[in-house]
Amino acid sequence: MTDYFEVHERDGPARIAELRLADAVTTPAIADDFLADAGSLWTADREVPEGSDDVLTILPHRGFPSGTDDEVMESFAPEYPDVDYPSAAVVAPETAGDFGADAYVLSGAQGFVGHGAGFRDAIVETREAIPADSALYLPGVATPANVATLVYAGVDLVDADRAVVAGTQGKYLTSEGTHYLDDLSELPCACPACRKPVSEFTREDCADHNVNALRAELGIVRERIRSGRLRDYIEGQARHDQWLTAAFREFDQQWSYLEERTPLIRDAELSAATEDTLQRVEIQRFADRVTSRYHNRFDNPLVLVPCSAAKPYSESQSHGQFHDAIQFRAHTVSMTSPIGVVPQELELTYPAQHYDSVVTGRWSEDEKQFVAEVLRRYLEHNDYPRVIAHVPNEGYRDVCGRVEEALGMEFEYTVEDHPTTTESLGNLMRTLDGELKYGKRERQHNTLKAIADYQFGEGAGDALFDDVQTEARYPKLRVQDPDGEQLAAMVPQYGVLSFTLAGARHWVESDAPTKRVEIDNFAPHGSVLAPGVVDADDDIRVGDEVVIEGPKAFAVGRAEMTGPEMAESTRGISTTVRHVEEK
């Protein structure tokens, strides 16, 4: 049982947490100041220490270098005692498990840090074997340049050993890499150790600077986690070292590990500044749901239009002009990199209104391939009587051509020079002559059903809202049953639905996939703490709408942990509670 470590915020595998010592420590952090090592069992037999709430005690252990034979590790694996103070167990990826400790020290780090695939495999194997609410400590490898990537992968604690050793060797470390002290004409830092001329700067000063730089980088990382933007930082910062770039690309291929830990919704803007953004979980998840869960319910033609810098698209000047030309006679879908395609009903749904991309007027080959693949899958999944492409030549037309060839289709093109010229808009308007308009009621109902499909699963929209009525205006639509009882409301900030108690019961009774959290014998108010969770569905993600039920209560709220984390954690908030009814 983890008693002294509690996770407060999550940004993928990276977390802000509290190590509950006598003087609490916010992680990710340098562990040197609060560690007590009981020693290695390789050199001598060790008594179990008395321990203290002031420090994190590493229990007597046997560390194994990377590459040690499995049988050797099994034969010499120590048995860790159950202690009542903050403790850490030393493990290898192959021997990791739940030993009742608050932290786990991963041995052999020097053997895989520096190798992208090896680093990924070691961290993923260890992180998935130890309790979700325990800290992972990676000793002897942290530098100002690599610590952001270590934390991004799931590391909570590091030490300053490598930074100090590098300083004594005359290596001046920064977040961009290593400089040799003898080659520096000036000191590119303003930390206390660097406030002297370079001619007076000693190797002892260099070691002090390296530790200061490591602490400063961890401060940046913690703030990035709090703002939900660590990945944006990683994409640029890791470019300074090839293995770091390889490492986060290797993690992008570890879909299940990242997807489970990446929130479904968040306030943070997603910065699309590199082609690696295309591999982000948020991007791939949106593309997958739009091409597998979403179902077009309009009988009208499809009009493909370019995205806009303003979000949501419908509030931009260009999309206002497109709307004036279309006049509800077609279904509008925006094409964009890095999102792919965005049906008009999902323009508010995270991350469709939460990203910002670099606009150059030129699309890379990777962008073209990605958007073309998403559009192809979208058209295979949805039928339209006609496809009208009101897109410019730059990138968009090439993407459309590839999809036409792949599907054996012919698009109708309406842009002469630029999508918003009078001539182009006139072409679009005339192309839709004779098409019937869809009404406000159909538009609102289709929007709610589309969001439900995206949020809960294919077919959820029809299962939940086949016989309902709406009130209020988009984007603050509310759903009522035929008797006028409110079931759900649209949340404009994230483009998702939130249920009332009546809506939650309707959800449970419907054929739509349901996310359930089973709780113990109490009625929650405000939130459900992890110790009160009996079980939770494995596919629950942070941000999911969930039904909470126990012997004494029925409630609805939003997940603050993944389902597996709720089921095994002993600390932290598992869900917030919006509405509750005591039984």
Side-chain angles (χ1 to χ4, degrees), residues 178-189:
T178 302
H179 306 270
Y180 287 95
L181 188 56
D182 293 341
D183 297 334
L184 288 176
S185 300
E186 58 181 284
L187 301 174
C189 174

Side-chain angles (χ1 to χ4, degrees), residues 47 103 144 177 179 242 304 362 364 533:
E47 295 292 330
H179 306 270
Q242 286 84 350
L304 296 170
R362 298 181 299 275
S364 70
V533 175

Side-chain angles (χ1 to χ4, degrees), residues 401-544:
R402 297 183 188 195
V403 176
E404 285 180 287
E405 182 178 356
L407 298 181
M409 300 176 63
E410 287 190 8
F411 294 179
E412 302 172 48
Y413 293 94
T414 52
V415 173
E416 295 293 337
D417 180 29
H418 189 274
T420 59
T421 62
T422 301
E423 185 175 8
S424 295
L425 292 170
N427 289 342
L428 177 58
M429 189 179 300
R430 287 188 294 273
T431 300
L432 293 171
D433 282 348
E435 296 290 346
L436 299 177
K437 294 183 179 182
Y438 52 81
K440 177 181 177 181
R441 183 179 183 277
E442 181 181 3
R443 183 172 72 253
Q444 291 182 340
H445 280 225
N446 287 354
T447 296
L448 294 168
K449 290 179 180 181
I451 294 173
D453 286 344
Y454 179 93
Q455 190 173 351
F456 305 119
E458 186 176 15
D462 292 329
L464 287 168
F465 304 135
D466 186 48
D467 184 20
V468 296
Q469 55 192 20
T470 61
E471 66 170 6
R473 292 184 177 183
Y474 178 87
K476 297 182 179 180
L477 296 175
R478 295 191 294 271
V479 190
Q480 297 176 334
D481 67 14
D483 297 324
E485 183 168 18
Q486 184 171 325
L487 301 177
M490 187 174 170
V491 183
Q493 184 178 1
Y494 307 115
V496 296
L497 298 169
S498 63
F499 286 114
T500 63
L501 277 176
R505 291 193 187 89
H506 178 64
W507 183 21
V508 169
E509 294 166 359
S510 75
D511 292 331
T514 311
K515 305 290 179 72
R516 295 173 180 261
V517 177
E518 182 185 352
I519 61 173
D520 214 334
N521 193 27
F522 67 97
H525 295 281
S527 61
V528 175
L529 300 179
V533 175
V534 175
D535 199 7
D537 289 343
D538 287 343
D539 58 351
I540 292 174
R541 302 290 178 260
V542 175
D544 256 328

